[in-house]
């Protein structure tokens, strides 16, 4: 028996302990016995003394998306030698694939348009949007850092001030070339406007106001600084030394395995796990099935999270997901529709931000939900392009009820009450903006399938980090030499991952991770 | 670098590998260096060679509730020497604290009352109730085993046949002395009755039809067999040998730490994690806050699950919870009320089983929900006793709307439509049983707070097991020498943990675990 009493702290510390002791194996040259143990050893976190380094740098970054790019730039600027590993043949990750909006407050661009904002108001909104599952301390850091982030982005070559303020309500920055400031979330929804006055905070960069613009600025900045990037090189395992410090990464490269030593630290920025079906099955909490991944990069395989867990990292918010159903964020007209569940009951204000619409669909008492549009909205909203062809086109609400499979009296009451609200100019149920309150009183009505299977999904959970981007073990202790940012870090936003929120987080904590990684005193090359 | 290529399998196998290599430390006598490593070692899974055994048995069971009791009885009957560890000063766990109903199909008691049932129909219902998150294979085993489970329970001294068939709709077995067969779940709800004909399957034992009756039968059977029980002895860490086989348990007993060797296997049956706030914060997926633990034993601390994870066990369904709001299950009258969200919109058929009512409350678009009762239902339903005093008593529906904070037109439409449904004898929205459709047309109306904070909660997630109750690692491989059952095993039911379902699972897989543990060839005492 160990001499020391087993405190609860020590007990809970096991997660980290496993890796620490595993690391010690190589150091002392002892080895497990038996076939299982051999397998185990080949799979275990490598011990530094077992590793012949193929390469080394001060800071090794796993994943070259927005977070990895920001971390690489800041580590390099701080004088560190940096190597970035990217498993695909091209960098960019989710950041390059997303809408490219960056939520920031109290910025020169807002001032240019005469808008009054503050980091405090930003924090009030984000707390309300993120809910109890959000990491309040991290949110505070993100909001407070926001004016500096603006300057940082401009310093990387992003152009915000050459663009216009988008005049409409919250809308995604897709296809809004020339506009660089938007409402991007639920700022204008009744429940949130009551908490803090709506202000547009979504900043997009010219020329195309897209995520590609954001990432190309990061990539060219990293290139100019001389950051080394290894593409088609997938981080697989963290290498630890006898004290359990993370001292490198074992990766699968174009020519097989390579081991890269990190003199100072490793930063995990390899994205979420929406494409990893076993992790999704483990953590996805809803009874309604989920749709496809929101992420087009297609490699949200959770590898960074698994690498961290393998050295005892704790996770946070693994049950939190961004569930999006873009109605208002893809069209100015679609919010004029009525979104009902399979009982024919309306479930949400159709103009809310897509993650709030998506959550309402996931929480509906029926898996099947439907968006009902009149002929004008169908056409003006580009519904067929965004939602696919209608499952039915009906001449009466009774026909709509039949198409939905709802009781016609329930559907009739839903529409009658909604139409009365429209005539009163007030959505008495959910407070939808009156501009979208158009009565459904004239067929044909187009019925679009709008259930959970049609919601895009992104993961919010990941490794538990502190506000310095250190990865923490199950007892809240820092795992030395290891940082995480972006979707490899756990649910800063709780459930809220609205347009602009994710990239703001990705850049802010990527910057913090890069700076802190470069400032590490680092590990000595332990002699055999 | 390891010679072997790192396959995905090996990579994912790390979880188990950590413990395996940790186990090897002691064997070869090497040790980590540095303070962290020392802490780590004291916290790590002990290696058999580091342990001086204070005690030994063939099968060591952690937790003496229903699952532990069933496992102990079967292991002992199979000829194994058994020791059971219970951290509290009394056994029983959640089983002794629960309603005591056991879901079983095709039983002599059902036949006695002329009821036709089959294990196939039982399986159809359980699959529908459990949803996609349920473990289909385990459900099948549970349903098929059900007739044998009946005989097994009778063999332990439970008396079903001396009682009556409860004539009412599904109702919890609390305070229904003398009745031994009940509807206990959502069998009669429209959505489920359409799938398979409703049959009462909840079996309760005389004398009191309570969980205490179930557990006392197990305890006296175990006593008669000579099962050794150590109370106030909390399992803390699993002991593994060089091959990673689980060979014992380190526990905190009355007089400090003791190590108990398990010649054949260890069975984890230490309950769920509803009382472990950090585990709840990690896995609880809802934005609406949760209420108190359903379990009165008060030690749902997740210790068994953490012990398993520490040797690399995978988990299953950690995001699945039983969220109960007992309306119909506590009173024949309360389902006559109308359950609305903060918008004044009805959210569920009020007569559904409590976990379905609870889920609807958790999924509501407002955290605050309310049950509205007329004066007669308030009295006959014993509402104040079950739900607490009303937050308001109102003379009109407008006053109710004001008390709820809803738009009076929305609340008015909800009640008007509901009353019309009552006059038609059909709940057109959710299909509530017409016997509960009583119009709200005469004040005073009593408004009871019925939000998420008032829902009791139980955890459904736990260690991943196969149908032999083996605990599996992240790659689906059996962790040798380790079994789990009850709430230490993960979400057999998905979200459904209705009255009778949990105890049926607890007993079935407790029996399976006990039999298989006793049948293990076991570990040799490895010489130093």
């Amino acid at each position: 028996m160990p001499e020391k009493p087993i405190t609860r702290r020590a007990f809970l510390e096991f997660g980290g302990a496993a890796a620490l002791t595993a690391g010690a194996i190589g150091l002392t040259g002892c080895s497990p016995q038996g076939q299982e143990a051999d397998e185990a050893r080949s799979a275990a976190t490598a011990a530094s003394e077992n590793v012949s380094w193929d390469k080394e740098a001060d800071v090794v970054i796993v994943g070259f998306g927005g977070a990895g790019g920001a971390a690489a730039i800041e580590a390099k600027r701080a004088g560190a030698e940096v190597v970035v590993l990217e498993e695909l043949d091209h960098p960019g990750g989710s950041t390059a694939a997303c809408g490219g909006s960056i939520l920031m407050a109290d910025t020169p661009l807002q001032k240019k348009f005469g808008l009054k904002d503050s980091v405090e108001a930003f924090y009030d909104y984000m707390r309300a949007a993120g809910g109890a599952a959000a990491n309040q301390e991290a949110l505070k850091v993100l909001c407070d850092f926001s004016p500096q982030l603006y300057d940082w982005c401009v310093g990387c070559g992003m152009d915000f001030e050459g663009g216009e303020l988008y005049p409409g309500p919250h809308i995604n920055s897709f296809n809004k070339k020339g506009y660089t400031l938007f409402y991007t979330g639920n700022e204008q929804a009744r429940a949130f406007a009551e908490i803090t006055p709506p202000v547009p905070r979504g900043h997009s960069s010219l020329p195309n106001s897209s995520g590609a613009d954001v990432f190309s600025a990061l990539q060219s900045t990293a290139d100019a600084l001389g950051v080394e990037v290894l593409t088609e090189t997938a981080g697989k395992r963290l290498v630890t030394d006898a004290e359990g410090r993370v001292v490198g990464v074992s990766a699968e490269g174009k020519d097989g395995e390579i081991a890269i030593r990190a003199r100072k630290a490793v930063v995990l920025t390899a994205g979420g796990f929406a494409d990893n079906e076993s992790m999704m099955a483990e953590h996805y909490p809803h009874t309604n099935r989920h749709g496809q991944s929101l992420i087009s990069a297609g490699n949200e395989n959770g590898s960074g999270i698994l690498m961290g867990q393998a050295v005892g990292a704790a996770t946070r918010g693994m049950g939190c997901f961004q569930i999006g159903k873009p109605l208002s964020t893809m069209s100015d007209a679609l919010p004029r529709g009525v979104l009902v569940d399979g009982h024919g009951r309306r479930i949400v204000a159709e103009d809310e931000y897509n993650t709030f619409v998506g959550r309402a669909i996931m929480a509906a008492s029926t898996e099947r939900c439907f968006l009902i549009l009149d002929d004008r909205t169908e056409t003006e909203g580009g519904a067929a392009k965004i939602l696919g062809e209608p499952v039915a086109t009906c001449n009466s609400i009774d026909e709509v009820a039949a198409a939905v499979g709802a009781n016609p009296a329930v559907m009739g009451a839903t529409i009658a009450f909604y139409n009365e609200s429209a005539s009163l100019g007030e959505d008495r149920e959910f407070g939808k903006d009156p501009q979208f309150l158009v009565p459904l009183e004239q067929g044909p009505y187009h019925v679009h399938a709008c259930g959970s299977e049609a919601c895009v999904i992104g993961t919010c959970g990941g490794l538990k980090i502190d506000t310095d981007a250190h990865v923490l073990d199950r007892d809240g202790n820092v795992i030395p030499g290891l940082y995480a940012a972006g979707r490899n870090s756990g649910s800063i936003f709780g459930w809220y991952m609205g347009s602009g929120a994710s990239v703001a987080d990705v850049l802010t904590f990527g910057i913090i991770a890069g700076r802190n990684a470069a400032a590490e005193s680092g590990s000595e090359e332990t002699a055999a």
Side-chain angles (χ1 to χ4, degrees), chain A:
Chain A
M1 301 294 290
E3 301 76 7
K4 298 176 64 177
I6 297 167
T7 61
R8 179 174 166 287
R9 178 168 176 286
F11 171 57
L12 291 178
E13 204 170 39
F14 176 84
L20 295 171
T21 46
I25 299 277
L27 180 69
T28 51
C30 65
S31 70
Q33 297 173 357
Q35 190 228 331
E36 279 166 7
D38 288 344
E39 277 184 13
R41 186 171 162 212
S42 75
T45 302
S48 51
E49 288 312 295
N50 284 352
V51 174
S52 56
W53 300 113
D54 300 293
K55 193 171 184 54
E56 66 178 75
D58 295 319
V59 176
V60 179
I61 298 169
V62 182
F64 192 12
I73 289 167
E74 284 307 293
K76 187 73 176 177
R77 283 175 175 166
E81 187 185 349
V82 179
V83 171
V84 187
L85 314 181
E86 168 55 48
E87 70 181 321
L88 300 182
D89 61 7
H90 62 283
S94 311
T95 299
C98 79
S101 191
I102 309 170
L103 280 190
M104 298 183 284
D106 192 18
T107 67
L109 185 63
Q110 288 177 315
K111 292 186 178 72
K112 170 187 169 185
F113 294 120
L115 298 166
K116 195 170 173 308
D117 197 12
S118 70
V119 295
E120 292 74 18
F122 185 23
Y123 182 51
D124 290 341
Y125 170 72
M126 293 307 296
R127 273 190 308 173
N135 179 340
Q136 309 298 332
E137 303 70 30
L139 273 187
K140 186 76 167 56
V141 169
L142 180 147
C143 295
D144 291 344
F145 189 73
S146 162
Q148 300 167 61
L149 179 60
Y150 182 94
D151 296 336
W152 187 89
C153 291
V154 170
C156 289
M158 296 181 212
D159 179 1
F160 304 121
E161 301 198 26
E164 294 304 313
L165 168 64
Y166 185 76
H170 72 81
I171 194 83
N172 208 320
S173 54
F174 289 121
N175 317 319
K176 295 294 170 189
K177 196 167 173 176
Y179 293 99
T180 55
L181 188 59
F182 306 83
Y183 283 106
T184 61
N186 235 16
E187 302 89 352
Q188 295 151 305
R190 182 167 64 185
F192 296 92
E194 284 170 356
I195 292 167
T196 178
V199 184
R201 298 193 178 97
H203 294 64
S204 296
S205 174
L206 297 175
N208 301 314
S209 302
S210 73
D213 298 308
V214 172
F215 187 75
S216 68
L218 300 183
Q219 185 172 13
S220 53
T221 303
D223 289 348
L225 288 166
V227 169
E228 182 180 10
V229 180
L230 305 180
T231 55
E232 295 177 74
T233 305
K236 288 297 178 191
R237 305 173 305 142
L238 294 168
V239 181
T240 55
D241 69 10
E243 285 68 41
R245 179 182 185 86
V246 173
V247 295
V249 176
S250 172
E252 279 181 6
K254 295 169 190 168
D255 311 317
E257 281 181 33
I258 61 168
I260 305 106
R261 178 175 175 235
R263 297 186 203 97
K264 293 171 175 292
V266 171
V267 183
L268 295 171
T269 55
F273 60 90
D275 298 322
N276 181 323
E277 265 314 313
S278 79
M279 289 177 79
M280 287 297 289
E282 164 62 13
H283 297 288
Y284 184 70
H286 294 279
T287 48
N288 287 351
R289 70 202 151 128
H290 67 80
Q292 66 182 11
S293 170
L294 169 70
I295 309 302
S296 65
N299 64 331
E300 295 282 296
N301 54 24
S303 58
I305 296 168
L306 292 170
M307 287 169 73
Q309 285 184 287
V311 295
T315 53
R316 176 179 179 120
M318 295 298 281
C320 296
F321 292 83
Q322 170 181 16
I323 300 161
K325 187 59 204 173
L327 300 183
S328 63
T329 51
M330 293 297 281
S331 156
D332 292 323
L334 289 185
R336 300 198 303 241
V338 175
L339 183 56
V340 299
D341 63 17
H343 295 303
R345 296 154 44 87
R346 191 165 165 241
I347 62 171
V348 71
E350 294 80 1
D351 66 340
E352 287 199 47
Y353 179 71
N354 72 53
T355 60
F356 292 82
V357 172
R359 270 222 337 249
I361 291 170
M362 285 293 175
S365 54
T366 61
E367 187 169 326
R368 300 170 69 234
C369 294
F370 302 89
L371 184 69
I372 306 164
L373 305 173
D374 63 18
D375 209 45
R376 175 169 159 240
T377 304
E378 173 77 15
T379 311
E380 295 182 6
K385 186 155 145 289
I386 296 169
L387 302 169
E389 292 299 322
V391 293
T393 294
C394 310
N395 295 313
S396 69
I397 296 303
D398 278 2
E399 286 180 33
V400 170
V404 167
N407 182 302
V410 175
M411 180 66 77
T414 296
I415 301 303
F417 191 85
Y418 178 82
N419 287 348
E420 187 183 53
S421 293
S423 68
L424 296 169
E426 183 202 357
D427 176 4
R428 297 164 295 175
E429 293 174 286
F430 300 112
K432 178 162 75 170
D433 187 323
Q435 73 175 299
F436 298 117
L437 279 175
V438 178
L440 289 175
E441 50 199 3
Q442 175 63 54
Y445 304 106
H446 304 275
V447 180
H448 290 271
C450 207
S452 60
E453 76 290 347
C455 294
V456 293
I457 191 156
T459 60
C460 304
L463 302 174
K464 193 170 189 176
I465 62 168
D466 62 17
T467 52
D468 294 323
H470 288 119
V471 174
L472 306 177
D473 67 21
R474 287 183 188 158
D475 196 31
N477 298 318
V478 167
I479 296 176
L482 188 62
Y483 294 83
R487 297 287 67 75
N488 272 182
S489 66
S491 206
I492 284 172
F493 299 107
W495 285 76
Y496 182 76
M497 290 272 293
S499 296
S502 184
V503 180
D505 159 50
V506 152
L507 296 180
T508 300
F509 284 91
I511 289 167
I512 290 171
R515 289 176 181 173
N516 291 338
E520 288 263 345
S521 55
S523 62
E524 292 156 17
E525 179 69 281
T526 44

